[in-house]
Amino acid sequence: MRIAMVLLEDRFVRLEPFEEALRGEVRVALDSDPDAWDIMVAPAYGDHFDGWWASALAAMRAGTRIAYAVRRRSDGAVVGTTSLYEINPAYRRCEIGSTFYRPEARGGPINPACKRLLLGHAFDAGAVRVEIVTDAVNAQSQAAILKLGAKAEGVLRKHKITWTGRARDTAIFAVIDDDWPEVREGLDRRLVAF
C-alpha cells in the first residue's frame, strides 16, 4: 500500500495537501470555533496553531500522514482540515481524522464528500482497513461516522490523554475493504441528494 500525496476533489470539495501557501487560510478556518477544541486530543487554534501545523508537516515528511485543507468548491473558501494519518503500509491500514470544519460547513455535503474521497483514495491504494476514531463523549461525531457506513468496533478506555489532561475513552469505527463497495454506494447516493 502506498497512498500518494495528491489533490483530491469532487463537485463539493477540493482536498489540498498542506503546503506553506495554505497556512493562513487553514489558521482562519481552525480559529472559527474555539469552544469545539475543548474535547479534542490536541488543539490547533489560536496560539496552538503553529505547533500543530509544524507537527502535521513533519508527519507528512515522515510519510505517516497526509494533511489536507478542505476547500469548499462553491465559494473557494477553506472551511477546515482532515487527514489520512497513522498510515501503516505493512498492515495496509490508516485512519481518517484530525477533522475540523467551520460551523457553517457542518451538517451538509462537506463531511460525506471528504470521507468519500479519502476512503476511495485509501482503498484504491491498497488499504484493507480504514479507521475513524472519536471521543466516546462525542455523540454527534459518532452518529456522523455511523451515517457514513463505518462499523462500530468498541471503546478503548482511557486511550488518550487530551491537551486539557482528561483521560479520553475512544470510540473506534472502521471500514474494511469488504465493506467498501456498500459504503461507497451509500455515500454516492447520499451525495447525489445535495
Side-chain angles (χ1 to χ4, degrees):
M1 175 185 88
R2 185 178 185 289
I3 303 176
M5 195 176 306
V6 295
L7 183 142
L8 305 171
E9 64 184 321
D10 65 10
R11 68 187 180 105
F12 300 105
V13 295
R14 179 188 320 264
L15 302 183
E16 303 173 15
F18 278 9
E19 59 182 46
E20 195 57 36
L22 292 166
R23 183 183 185 125
E25 289 179 283
V26 171
R27 180 192 295 270
V28 169
L30 300 186
D31 281 349
S32 66
D33 187 6
D35 293 339
W37 294 98
D38 289 349
I39 65 168
M40 302 289 195
V41 172
Y45 74 98
D47 293 341
H48 307 283
F49 179 83
D50 291 331
W52 175 86
W53 178 265
S55 177
L57 292 180
M60 289 175 75
R61 285 189 299 274
T64 60
R65 177 176 182 180
I66 305 171
Y68 294 95
V70 178
R71 189 175 301 281
R72 186 170 46 207
R73 299 273 315 262
S74 63
D75 63 2
V78 170
V79 295
T81 183
T82 193
S83 294
L84 288 170
Y85 71 110
E86 300 293 331
I87 297 169
N88 188 322
Y91 295 152
R92 296 177 55 197
R93 67 162 294 280
C94 63
E95 295 181 24
I96 293 174
S98 195
T99 300
F100 177 92
Y101 305 118
R102 290 168 37 172
E104 79 277 3
R106 299 172 191 158
I110 300 294
N111 188 54
C114 287
K115 296 305 190 286
R116 170 63 176 89
L117 289 168
L118 294 171
L119 286 163
H121 190 49
F123 287 118
D124 287 348
V128 297
R129 176 180 175 83
V130 179
E131 295 177 2
I132 307 173
V133 304
T134 191
D135 195 314
V137 301
N138 192 339
Q140 183 177 356
S141 178
Q142 290 181 59
I145 294 167
L146 287 170
K147 192 173 180 180
L148 295 168
K151 304 266 192 291
E153 294 188 334
V155 175
L156 300 177
R157 298 176 302 152
K158 293 191 176 180
H159 179 239
K160 297 181 178 183
I161 304 298
T162 71
W163 67 286
T164 64
R166 178 176 59 90
R168 176 186 119 158
D169 295 342
T170 299
I172 305 286
F173 300 82
V175 177
I176 61 172
D177 56 348
D178 299 329
D179 305 329
W180 175 231
E182 182 179 339
V183 170
R184 178 180 57 222
E185 184 178 313
L187 285 168
D188 289 344
R189 272 196 318 270
R190 193 169 156 199
L191 289 168
V192 164
F194 286 105

